[in-house]
PDB file of all heavy atoms in Angstrom:
ATOM      1  N   LEU A   1     167.111  82.867  80.209  1.00  0.00           N
ATOM      2  CA  LEU A   1     165.963  83.627  81.033  1.00  0.00           C
ATOM      3  C   LEU A   1     164.588  83.583  80.236  1.00  0.00           C
ATOM      4  O   LEU A   1     163.594  83.411  80.766  1.00  0.00           O
ATOM      5  CB  LEU A   1     166.330  85.051  81.249  1.00  0.00           C
ATOM      6  CG  LEU A   1     165.260  85.893  82.098  1.00  0.00           C
ATOM      7  CD1 LEU A   1     164.980  85.195  83.461  1.00  0.00           C
ATOM      8  CD2 LEU A   1     165.726  87.336  82.220  1.00  0.00           C
ATOM      9  N   ILE A   2     164.814  83.790  78.918  1.00  0.00           N
ATOM     10  CA  ILE A   2     163.619  83.870  78.043  1.00  0.00           C
ATOM     11  C   ILE A   2     162.975  82.359  78.030  1.00  0.00           C
ATOM     12  O   ILE A   2     161.717  82.333  78.157  1.00  0.00           O
ATOM     13  CB  ILE A   2     163.990  84.285  76.582  1.00  0.00           C
ATOM     14  CG1 ILE A   2     164.291  85.864  76.670  1.00  0.00           C
ATOM     15  CG2 ILE A   2     162.789  84.044  75.618  1.00  0.00           C
ATOM     16  CD1 ILE A   2     164.778  86.369  75.328  1.00  0.00           C
ATOM     17  N   VAL A   3     163.753  81.484  77.836  1.00  0.00           N
ATOM     18  CA  VAL A   3     163.249  80.053  77.841  1.00  0.00           C
ATOM     19  C   VAL A   3     162.689  79.667  79.213  1.00  0.00           C
ATOM     20  O   VAL A   3     161.601  79.130  79.221  1.00  0.00           O
ATOM     21  CB  VAL A   3     164.430  79.016  77.424  1.00  0.00           C
ATOM     22  CG1 VAL A   3     163.888  77.679  77.651  1.00  0.00           C
ATOM     23  CG2 VAL A   3     164.846  79.287  75.989  1.00  0.00           C
ATOM     24  N   PHE A   4     163.212  80.120  80.202  1.00  0.00           N
ATOM     25  CA  PHE A   4     162.831  79.799  81.439  1.00  0.00           C
ATOM     26  C   PHE A   4     161.402  80.551  81.760  1.00  0.00           C
ATOM     27  O   PHE A   4     160.436  79.828  82.218  1.00  0.00           O
ATOM     28  CB  PHE A   4     163.765  80.267  82.645  1.00  0.00           C
ATOM     29  CG  PHE A   4     163.206  80.083  84.017  1.00  0.00           C
ATOM     30  CD1 PHE A   4     163.220  78.798  84.701  1.00  0.00           C
ATOM     31  CD2 PHE A   4     162.706  81.112  84.789  1.00  0.00           C
ATOM     32  CE1 PHE A   4     162.805  78.591  85.869  1.00  0.00           C
ATOM     33  CE2 PHE A   4     162.267  81.004  85.996  1.00  0.00           C
ATOM     34  CZ  PHE A   4     162.213  79.641  86.572  1.00  0.00           C
ATOM     35  N   VAL A   5     161.232  81.736  81.418  1.00  0.00           N
ATOM     36  CA  VAL A   5     159.934  82.452  81.555  1.00  0.00           C
ATOM     37  C   VAL A   5     159.057  81.791  80.665  1.00  0.00           C
ATOM     38  O   VAL A   5     157.815  81.637  81.156  1.00  0.00           O
ATOM     39  CB  VAL A   5     160.190  84.000  81.246  1.00  0.00           C
ATOM     40  CG1 VAL A   5     158.886  84.650  81.166  1.00  0.00           C
ATOM     41  CG2 VAL A   5     161.084  84.616  82.282  1.00  0.00           C
ATOM     42  N   ALA A   6     159.267  81.509  79.403  1.00  0.00           N
ATOM     43  CA  ALA A   6     158.255  80.769  78.642  1.00  0.00           C
ATOM     44  C   ALA A   6     157.777  79.367  79.093  1.00  0.00           C
ATOM     45  O   ALA A   6     156.580  79.115  79.201  1.00  0.00           O
ATOM     46  CB  ALA A   6     158.828  80.544  77.225  1.00  0.00           C
ATOM     47  N   LEU A   7     158.732  78.638  79.738  1.00  0.00           N
ATOM     48  CA  LEU A   7     158.311  77.365  80.350  1.00  0.00           C
ATOM     49  C   LEU A   7     157.538  77.652  81.588  1.00  0.00           C
ATOM     50  O   LEU A   7     156.517  76.759  81.826  1.00  0.00           O
ATOM     51  CB  LEU A   7     159.530  76.540  80.687  1.00  0.00           C
ATOM     52  CG  LEU A   7     160.286  75.904  79.412  1.00  0.00           C
ATOM     53  CD1 LEU A   7     161.619  75.159  79.910  1.00  0.00           C
ATOM     54  CD2 LEU A   7     159.439  74.913  78.672  1.00  0.00           C
ATOM     55  N   PHE A   8     157.890  78.596  82.355  1.00  0.00           N
ATOM     56  CA  PHE A   8     157.184  78.791  83.506  1.00  0.00           C
ATOM     57  C   PHE A   8     155.631  79.369  83.195  1.00  0.00           C
ATOM     58  O   PHE A   8     154.735  78.869  83.820  1.00  0.00           O
ATOM     59  CB  PHE A   8     157.807  79.955  84.301  1.00  0.00           C
ATOM     60  CG  PHE A   8     157.204  80.343  85.615  1.00  0.00           C
ATOM     61  CD1 PHE A   8     157.254  79.463  86.706  1.00  0.00           C
ATOM     62  CD2 PHE A   8     156.446  81.491  85.698  1.00  0.00           C
ATOM     63  CE1 PHE A   8     156.643  79.820  87.882  1.00  0.00           C
ATOM     64  CE2 PHE A   8     155.854  81.816  86.977  1.00  0.00           C
ATOM     65  CZ  PHE A   8     155.991  80.920  88.003  1.00  0.00           C
ATOM     66  N   ALA A   9     155.472  79.992  82.137  1.00  0.00           N
ATOM     67  CA  ALA A   9     154.192  80.623  81.614  1.00  0.00           C
ATOM     68  C   ALA A   9     153.371  79.426  81.154  1.00  0.00           C
ATOM     69  O   ALA A   9     152.183  79.326  81.577  1.00  0.00           O
ATOM     70  CB  ALA A   9     154.287  81.644  80.548  1.00  0.00           C
ATOM     71  N   VAL A  10     154.036  78.448  80.404  1.00  0.00           N
ATOM     72  CA  VAL A  10     153.270  77.165  80.006  1.00  0.00           C
ATOM     73  C   VAL A  10     152.891  76.491  81.170  1.00  0.00           C
ATOM     74  O   VAL A  10     151.773  75.930  81.200  1.00  0.00           O
ATOM     75  CB  VAL A  10     154.053  76.404  78.983  1.00  0.00           C
ATOM     76  CG1 VAL A  10     153.526  75.150  78.709  1.00  0.00           C
ATOM     77  CG2 VAL A  10     154.368  77.238  77.711  1.00  0.00           C
ATOM     78  N   ALA A  11     153.684  76.282  82.127  1.00  0.00           N
ATOM     79  CA  ALA A  11     153.336  75.542  83.359  1.00  0.00           C
ATOM     80  C   ALA A  11     152.218  76.032  84.110  1.00  0.00           C
ATOM     81  O   ALA A  11     151.264  75.316  84.533  1.00  0.00           O
ATOM     82  CB  ALA A  11     154.572  75.374  84.281  1.00  0.00           C
ATOM     83  N   LEU A  12     152.069  77.379  84.206  1.00  0.00           N
ATOM     84  CA  LEU A  12     151.033  78.140  84.860  1.00  0.00           C
ATOM     85  C   LEU A  12     149.774  78.011  84.135  1.00  0.00           C
ATOM     86  O   LEU A  12     148.622  77.926  84.617  1.00  0.00           O
ATOM     87  CB  LEU A  12     151.259  79.489  85.110  1.00  0.00           C
ATOM     88  CG  LEU A  12     152.264  79.813  86.197  1.00  0.00           C
ATOM     89  CD1 LEU A  12     152.562  81.406  86.257  1.00  0.00           C
ATOM     90  CD2 LEU A  12     151.738  79.379  87.442  1.00  0.00           C
ATOM     91  N   ALA A  13     149.788  77.957  82.751  1.00  0.00           N
ATOM     92  CA  ALA A  13     148.542  77.953  81.857  1.00  0.00           C
ATOM     93  C   ALA A  13     148.012  76.542  81.835  1.00  0.00           C
ATOM     94  O   ALA A  13     146.794  76.377  81.448  1.00  0.00           O
ATOM     95  CB  ALA A  13     148.919  78.375  80.513  1.00  0.00           C
ATOM     96  N   ALA A  14     148.731  75.489  82.170  1.00  0.00           N
ATOM     97  CA  ALA A  14     148.258  74.049  82.065  1.00  0.00           C
ATOM     98  C   ALA A  14     147.148  73.792  82.994  1.00  0.00           C
ATOM     99  O   ALA A  14     147.197  74.425  84.249  1.00  0.00           O
ATOM    100  CB  ALA A  14     149.396  73.155  82.246  1.00  0.00           C
ATOM    101  N   PRO A  15     146.148  73.198  82.570  1.00  0.00           N
ATOM    102  CA  PRO A  15     145.079  72.991  83.562  1.00  0.00           C
ATOM    103  C   PRO A  15     145.513  72.103  84.875  1.00  0.00           C
ATOM    104  O   PRO A  15     146.287  71.123  84.537  1.00  0.00           O
ATOM    105  CB  PRO A  15     144.007  72.312  82.728  1.00  0.00           C
ATOM    106  CG  PRO A  15     144.759  71.717  81.551  1.00  0.00           C
ATOM    107  CD  PRO A  15     146.064  72.567  81.329  1.00  0.00           C
ATOM    108  N   ALA A  16     144.995  72.432  85.934  1.00  0.00           N
ATOM    109  CA  ALA A  16     145.423  71.658  87.039  1.00  0.00           C
ATOM    110  C   ALA A  16     144.472  70.489  87.281  1.00  0.00           C
ATOM    111  O   ALA A  16     143.258  70.659  86.987  1.00  0.00           O
ATOM    112  CB  ALA A  16     145.339  72.544  88.363  1.00  0.00           C
ATOM    113  N   ASP A  17     144.870  69.356  87.648  1.00  0.00           N
ATOM    114  CA  ASP A  17     144.051  68.230  87.841  1.00  0.00           C
ATOM    115  C   ASP A  17     143.378  68.330  89.227  1.00  0.00           C
ATOM    116  O   ASP A  17     144.213  68.091  90.303  1.00  0.00           O
ATOM    117  CB  ASP A  17     144.895  66.894  87.859  1.00  0.00           C
ATOM    118  CG  ASP A  17     145.289  66.542  86.467  1.00  0.00           C
ATOM    119  OD1 ASP A  17     144.664  66.970  85.558  1.00  0.00           O
ATOM    120  OD2 ASP A  17     146.360  65.944  86.381  1.00  0.00           O
ATOM    121  N   GLN A  18     142.293  68.884  89.339  1.00  0.00           N
ATOM    122  CA  GLN A  18     141.538  69.133  90.593  1.00  0.00           C
ATOM    123  C   GLN A  18     140.522  68.082  90.781  1.00  0.00           C
ATOM    124  O   GLN A  18     139.902  67.606  89.906  1.00  0.00           O
ATOM    125  CB  GLN A  18     140.952  70.525  90.623  1.00  0.00           C
ATOM    126  CG  GLN A  18     141.973  71.640  90.514  1.00  0.00           C
ATOM    127  CD  GLN A  18     141.201  73.045  90.539  1.00  0.00           C
ATOM    128  OE1 GLN A  18     140.011  72.994  90.442  1.00  0.00           O
ATOM    129  NE2 GLN A  18     141.921  74.006  90.579  1.00  0.00           N
ATOM    130  N   GLU A  19     140.430  67.689  92.006  1.00  0.00           N
ATOM    131  CA  GLU A  19     139.355  66.756  92.448  1.00  0.00           C
ATOM    132  C   GLU A  19     138.006  67.476  92.384  1.00  0.00           C
ATOM    133  O   GLU A  19     137.876  68.676  92.675  1.00  0.00           O
ATOM    134  CB  GLU A  19     139.585  66.245  93.827  1.00  0.00           C
ATOM    135  CG  GLU A  19     140.889  65.578  94.122  1.00  0.00           C
ATOM    136  CD  GLU A  19     140.780  64.049  94.067  1.00  0.00           C
ATOM    137  OE1 GLU A  19     139.719  63.561  94.281  1.00  0.00           O
ATOM    138  OE2 GLU A  19     141.738  63.363  93.833  1.00  0.00           O
ATOM    139  N   ALA A  20     137.007  66.708  91.930  1.00  0.00           N
ATOM    140  CA  ALA A  20     135.670  67.428  91.779  1.00  0.00           C
ATOM    141  C   ALA A  20     135.038  67.501  93.166  1.00  0.00           C
ATOM    142  O   ALA A  20     135.291  66.534  94.033  1.00  0.00           O
ATOM    143  CB  ALA A  20     134.778  66.507  90.889  1.00  0.00           C
ATOM    144  N   GLU A  21     134.375  68.486  93.486  1.00  0.00           N
ATOM    145  CA  GLU A  21     133.725  68.708  94.742  1.00  0.00           C
ATOM    146  C   GLU A  21     132.219  68.528  94.624  1.00  0.00           C
ATOM    147  O   GLU A  21     131.635  68.697  93.600  1.00  0.00           O
ATOM    148  CB  GLU A  21     133.935  70.121  95.260  1.00  0.00           C
ATOM    149  CG  GLU A  21     135.337  70.232  95.605  1.00  0.00           C
ATOM    150  CD  GLU A  21     135.668  71.667  96.232  1.00  0.00           C
ATOM    151  OE1 GLU A  21     134.635  72.355  96.673  1.00  0.00           O
ATOM    152  OE2 GLU A  21     136.914  72.082  96.259  1.00  0.00           O
ATOM    153  N   ILE A  22     131.698  67.889  95.638  1.00  0.00           N
ATOM    154  CA  ILE A  22     130.105  67.696  95.601  1.00  0.00           C
ATOM    155  C   ILE A  22     129.375  69.077  95.897  1.00  0.00           C
ATOM    156  O   ILE A  22     129.825  69.657  97.084  1.00  0.00           O
ATOM    157  CB  ILE A  22     129.638  66.665  96.557  1.00  0.00           C
ATOM    158  CG1 ILE A  22     130.222  65.326  96.176  1.00  0.00           C
ATOM    159  CG2 ILE A  22     128.179  66.579  96.630  1.00  0.00           C
ATOM    160  CD1 ILE A  22     130.069  64.207  97.175  1.00  0.00           C
ATOM    161  N   VAL A  23     128.577  69.617  95.162  1.00  0.00           N
ATOM    162  CA  VAL A  23     127.889  70.871  95.275  1.00  0.00           C
ATOM    163  C   VAL A  23     126.529  70.768  95.647  1.00  0.00           C
ATOM    164  O   VAL A  23     125.968  71.541  96.277  1.00  0.00           O
ATOM    165  CB  VAL A  23     128.157  71.873  94.027  1.00  0.00           C
ATOM    166  CG1 VAL A  23     129.632  72.237  93.962  1.00  0.00           C
ATOM    167  CG2 VAL A  23     127.552  71.107  92.891  1.00  0.00           C
ATOM    168  N   VAL A  24     125.839  69.595  95.293  1.00  0.00           N
ATOM    169  CA  VAL A  24     124.483  69.325  95.713  1.00  0.00           C
ATOM    170  C   VAL A  24     124.466  67.808  96.134  1.00  0.00           C
ATOM    171  O   VAL A  24     125.007  66.961  95.388  1.00  0.00           O
ATOM    172  CB  VAL A  24     123.559  69.556  94.573  1.00  0.00           C
ATOM    173  CG1 VAL A  24     122.076  69.055  94.968  1.00  0.00           C
ATOM    174  CG2 VAL A  24     123.423  70.972  94.259  1.00  0.00           C
ATOM    175  N   LEU A  25     123.873  67.541  97.219  1.00  0.00           N
ATOM    176  CA  LEU A  25     123.685  66.150  97.696  1.00  0.00           C
ATOM    177  C   LEU A  25     122.396  66.148  98.442  1.00  0.00           C
ATOM    178  O   LEU A  25     122.387  66.548  99.562  1.00  0.00           O
ATOM    179  CB  LEU A  25     124.877  65.704  98.408  1.00  0.00           C
ATOM    180  CG  LEU A  25     124.902  64.210  98.878  1.00  0.00           C
ATOM    181  CD1 LEU A  25     124.632  63.259  97.830  1.00  0.00           C
ATOM    182  CD2 LEU A  25     126.003  63.829  99.711  1.00  0.00           C
ATOM    183  N   LYS A  26     121.409  65.355  97.875  1.00  0.00           N
ATOM    184  CA  LYS A  26     120.065  65.319  98.501  1.00  0.00           C
ATOM    185  C   LYS A  26     119.534  63.817  98.346  1.00  0.00           C
ATOM    186  O   LYS A  26     119.885  63.187  97.412  1.00  0.00           O
ATOM    187  CB  LYS A  26     119.077  66.274  97.903  1.00  0.00           C
ATOM    188  CG  LYS A  26     119.352  67.601  97.841  1.00  0.00           C
ATOM    189  CD  LYS A  26     118.273  68.432  97.101  1.00  0.00           C
ATOM    190  CE  LYS A  26     118.625  69.867  96.958  1.00  0.00           C
ATOM    191  NZ  LYS A  26     117.546  70.640  96.194  1.00  0.00           N
ATOM    192  N   SER A  27     118.946  63.376  99.410  1.00  0.00           N
ATOM    193  CA  SER A  27     118.353  62.040  99.265  1.00  0.00           C
ATOM    194  C   SER A  27     117.199  61.849 100.290  1.00  0.00           C
ATOM    195  O   SER A  27     117.261  62.572 101.333  1.00  0.00           O
ATOM    196  CB  SER A  27     119.428  60.896  99.618  1.00  0.00           C
ATOM    197  OG  SER A  27     119.897  60.924 100.933  1.00  0.00           O
ATOM    198  N   ASP A  28     116.346  61.126  99.965  1.00  0.00           N
ATOM    199  CA  ASP A  28     115.127  60.704 100.780  1.00  0.00           C
ATOM    200  C   ASP A  28     114.769  59.291 100.490  1.00  0.00           C
ATOM    201  O   ASP A  28     114.442  58.924  99.398  1.00  0.00           O
ATOM    202  CB  ASP A  28     113.994  61.607 100.414  1.00  0.00           C
ATOM    203  CG  ASP A  28     112.851  61.340 101.337  1.00  0.00           C
ATOM    204  OD1 ASP A  28     112.818  60.884 102.402  1.00  0.00           O
ATOM    205  OD2 ASP A  28     111.685  61.721 100.770  1.00  0.00           O
ATOM    206  N   VAL A  29     115.005  58.461 101.549  1.00  0.00           N
ATOM    207  CA  VAL A  29     114.877  56.945 101.341  1.00  0.00           C
ATOM    208  C   VAL A  29     113.772  56.537 102.330  1.00  0.00           C
ATOM    209  O   VAL A  29     113.818  56.717 103.414  1.00  0.00           O
ATOM    210  CB  VAL A  29     116.114  56.230 101.659  1.00  0.00           C
ATOM    211  CG1 VAL A  29     115.887  54.799 101.464  1.00  0.00           C
ATOM    212  CG2 VAL A  29     117.215  56.733 100.720  1.00  0.00           C
ATOM    213  N   GLY A  30     112.680  55.897 101.720  1.00  0.00           N
ATOM    214  CA  GLY A  30     111.697  55.328 102.654  1.00  0.00           C
ATOM    215  C   GLY A  30     111.518  53.881 102.470  1.00  0.00           C
ATOM    216  O   GLY A  30     112.293  53.314 101.592  1.00  0.00           O
ATOM    217  N   PRO A  31     110.523  53.189 103.064  1.00  0.00           N
ATOM    218  CA  PRO A  31     110.326  51.817 102.943  1.00  0.00           C
ATOM    219  C   PRO A  31     109.983  51.378 101.537  1.00  0.00           C
ATOM    220  O   PRO A  31     110.253  50.156 101.103  1.00  0.00           O
ATOM    221  CB  PRO A  31     109.424  51.418 104.020  1.00  0.00           C
ATOM    222  CG  PRO A  31     108.839  52.770 104.395  1.00  0.00           C
ATOM    223  CD  PRO A  31     109.680  53.798 103.993  1.00  0.00           C
ATOM    224  N   GLU A  32     109.218  52.241 100.771  1.00  0.00           N
ATOM    225  CA  GLU A  32     108.735  51.787  99.577  1.00  0.00           C
ATOM    226  C   GLU A  32     109.128  52.757  98.381  1.00  0.00           C
ATOM    227  O   GLU A  32     108.566  52.712  97.387  1.00  0.00           O
ATOM    228  CB  GLU A  32     107.207  51.624  99.543  1.00  0.00           C
ATOM    229  CG  GLU A  32     106.835  50.485 100.561  1.00  0.00           C
ATOM    230  CD  GLU A  32     105.260  50.333 100.843  1.00  0.00           C
ATOM    231  OE1 GLU A  32     104.518  51.075 100.156  1.00  0.00           O
ATOM    232  OE2 GLU A  32     104.904  49.484 101.564  1.00  0.00           O
ATOM    233  N   SER A  33     109.971  53.581  98.693  1.00  0.00           N
ATOM    234  CA  SER A  33     110.457  54.654  97.647  1.00  0.00           C
ATOM    235  C   SER A  33     111.718  55.312  98.055  1.00  0.00           C
ATOM    236  O   SER A  33     112.120  55.233  99.175  1.00  0.00           O
ATOM    237  CB  SER A  33     109.199  55.785  97.584  1.00  0.00           C
ATOM    238  OG  SER A  33     109.209  56.501  98.609  1.00  0.00           O
ATOM    239  N   PHE A  34     112.396  55.854  97.028  1.00  0.00           N
ATOM    240  CA  PHE A  34     113.437  56.713  97.218  1.00  0.00           C
ATOM    241  C   PHE A  34     113.679  57.844  96.275  1.00  0.00           C
ATOM    242  O   PHE A  34     112.919  57.838  95.227  1.00  0.00           O
ATOM    243  CB  PHE A  34     114.867  55.792  97.244  1.00  0.00           C
ATOM    244  CG  PHE A  34     115.106  55.394  95.819  1.00  0.00           C
ATOM    245  CD1 PHE A  34     116.035  56.195  94.998  1.00  0.00           C
ATOM    246  CD2 PHE A  34     114.564  54.249  95.321  1.00  0.00           C
ATOM    247  CE1 PHE A  34     116.245  55.662  93.716  1.00  0.00           C
ATOM    248  CE2 PHE A  34     114.977  53.761  94.035  1.00  0.00           C
ATOM    249  CZ  PHE A  34     115.802  54.596  93.212  1.00  0.00           C
ATOM    250  N   LYS A  35     114.402  58.756  96.643  1.00  0.00           N
ATOM    251  CA  LYS A  35     114.660  59.821  95.643  1.00  0.00           C
ATOM    252  C   LYS A  35     116.162  60.372  96.030  1.00  0.00           C
ATOM    253  O   LYS A  35     116.427  60.585  97.146  1.00  0.00           O
ATOM    254  CB  LYS A  35     113.671  61.008  95.767  1.00  0.00           C
ATOM    255  CG  LYS A  35     113.815  62.127  94.841  1.00  0.00           C
ATOM    256  CD  LYS A  35     112.616  63.189  95.014  1.00  0.00           C
ATOM    257  CE  LYS A  35     112.723  64.069  93.931  1.00  0.00           C
ATOM    258  NZ  LYS A  35     111.510  65.096  93.978  1.00  0.00           N
ATOM    259  N   TYR A  36     116.881  60.804  95.050  1.00  0.00           N
ATOM    260  CA  TYR A  36     118.219  61.271  95.295  1.00  0.00           C
ATOM    261  C   TYR A  36     118.520  62.249  94.218  1.00  0.00           C
ATOM    262  O   TYR A  36     118.108  62.161  93.055  1.00  0.00           O
ATOM    263  CB  TYR A  36     119.195  60.254  95.586  1.00  0.00           C
ATOM    264  CG  TYR A  36     119.774  59.546  94.301  1.00  0.00           C
ATOM    265  CD1 TYR A  36     120.644  59.907  93.373  1.00  0.00           C
ATOM    266  CD2 TYR A  36     119.175  58.328  94.031  1.00  0.00           C
ATOM    267  CE1 TYR A  36     121.049  59.431  92.251  1.00  0.00           C
ATOM    268  CE2 TYR A  36     119.644  57.580  92.960  1.00  0.00           C
ATOM    269  CZ  TYR A  36     120.501  58.213  92.024  1.00  0.00           C
ATOM    270  OH  TYR A  36     120.876  57.429  90.855  1.00  0.00           O
ATOM    271  N   GLU A  37     119.514  63.091  94.583  1.00  0.00           N
ATOM    272  CA  GLU A  37     120.062  64.109  93.533  1.00  0.00           C
ATOM    273  C   GLU A  37     121.539  64.365  93.929  1.00  0.00           C
ATOM    274  O   GLU A  37     121.672  64.681  95.097  1.00  0.00           O
ATOM    275  CB  GLU A  37     119.261  65.304  93.370  1.00  0.00           C
ATOM    276  CG  GLU A  37     119.848  66.406  92.574  1.00  0.00           C
ATOM    277  CD  GLU A  37     119.078  67.658  92.604  1.00  0.00           C
ATOM    278  OE1 GLU A  37     118.267  67.802  93.374  1.00  0.00           O
ATOM    279  OE2 GLU A  37     119.392  68.557  91.772  1.00  0.00           O
ATOM    280  N   TRP A  38     122.365  64.506  92.996  1.00  0.00           N
ATOM    281  CA  TRP A  38     123.722  65.034  93.336  1.00  0.00           C
ATOM    282  C   TRP A  38     124.366  65.681  92.159  1.00  0.00           C
ATOM    283  O   TRP A  38     124.011  65.451  90.967  1.00  0.00           O
ATOM    284  CB  TRP A  38     124.807  63.882  93.806  1.00  0.00           C
ATOM    285  CG  TRP A  38     124.883  62.721  92.930  1.00  0.00           C
ATOM    286  CD1 TRP A  38     124.430  61.478  92.996  1.00  0.00           C
ATOM    287  CD2 TRP A  38     125.967  62.551  91.848  1.00  0.00           C
ATOM    288  NE1 TRP A  38     124.972  60.610  92.028  1.00  0.00           N
ATOM    289  CE2 TRP A  38     125.832  61.314  91.315  1.00  0.00           C
ATOM    290  CE3 TRP A  38     126.837  63.458  91.285  1.00  0.00           C
ATOM    291  CZ2 TRP A  38     126.565  61.021  90.233  1.00  0.00           C
ATOM    292  CZ3 TRP A  38     127.538  63.092  90.160  1.00  0.00           C
ATOM    293  CH2 TRP A  38     127.501  61.874  89.738  1.00  0.00           C
ATOM    294  N   LYS A  39     125.260  66.645  92.385  1.00  0.00           N
ATOM    295  CA  LYS A  39     126.006  67.386  91.349  1.00  0.00           C
ATOM    296  C   LYS A  39     127.285  67.658  91.898  1.00  0.00           C
ATOM    297  O   LYS A  39     127.534  67.867  93.103  1.00  0.00           O
ATOM    298  CB  LYS A  39     125.267  68.652  91.047  1.00  0.00           C
ATOM    299  CG  LYS A  39     123.884  68.548  90.505  1.00  0.00           C
ATOM    300  CD  LYS A  39     123.111  69.932  90.215  1.00  0.00           C
ATOM    301  CE  LYS A  39     121.720  69.697  89.637  1.00  0.00           C
ATOM    302  NZ  LYS A  39     121.084  70.972  89.512  1.00  0.00           N
ATOM    303  N   THR A  40     128.291  67.662  90.970  1.00  0.00           N
ATOM    304  CA  THR A  40     129.689  67.969  91.216  1.00  0.00           C
ATOM    305  C   THR A  40     130.185  69.187  90.617  1.00  0.00           C
ATOM    306  O   THR A  40     129.565  69.670  89.631  1.00  0.00           O
ATOM    307  CB  THR A  40     130.517  66.771  90.904  1.00  0.00           C
ATOM    308  OG1 THR A  40     130.502  66.520  89.620  1.00  0.00           O
ATOM    309  CG2 THR A  40     130.240  65.488  91.666  1.00  0.00           C
ATOM    310  N   SER A  41     131.315  69.677  91.116  1.00  0.00           N
ATOM    311  CA  SER A  41     131.738  70.937  90.395  1.00  0.00           C
ATOM    312  C   SER A  41     132.396  70.805  89.046  1.00  0.00           C
ATOM    313  O   SER A  41     132.480  71.767  88.361  1.00  0.00           O
ATOM    314  CB  SER A  41     132.950  71.512  91.407  1.00  0.00           C
ATOM    315  OG  SER A  41     133.936  70.602  91.509  1.00  0.00           O
ATOM    316  N   ASP A  42     132.510  69.522  88.638  1.00  0.00           N
ATOM    317  CA  ASP A  42     133.089  69.335  87.261  1.00  0.00           C
ATOM    318  C   ASP A  42     132.013  69.063  86.180  1.00  0.00           C
ATOM    319  O   ASP A  42     132.298  68.657  85.113  1.00  0.00           O
ATOM    320  CB  ASP A  42     134.040  68.231  87.229  1.00  0.00           C
ATOM    321  CG  ASP A  42     133.588  66.927  87.635  1.00  0.00           C
ATOM    322  OD1 ASP A  42     132.349  66.797  87.938  1.00  0.00           O
ATOM    323  OD2 ASP A  42     134.358  65.853  87.628  1.00  0.00           O
TER     324      ASP A  42
END
């Protein structure tokens, strides 16, 4: 039981491999210019 609880605690503490999410996405494209910005949660 002690070993099981210890392994369970280690598994919970391990960082999860999460996909990054886009939090900002802006763009402006014209015939002679462009501007963009993006940011992700990671």
Side-chain angles (χ1 to χ4, degrees):
L1 180 61
I2 293 171
V3 170
F4 178 77
V5 171
L7 289 174
F8 184 74
V10 169
L12 284 179
D17 290 332
Q18 296 179 353
E19 300 260 340
E21 295 180 14
I22 297 172
V23 294
V24 173
L25 180 58
K26 300 177 185 177
S27 67
D28 181 21
V29 179
E32 296 176 5
S33 65
F34 73 89
K35 184 174 186 175
Y36 72 82
E37 173 186 12
W38 59 261
K39 295 179 183 177
T40 61
S41 59
D42 64 355

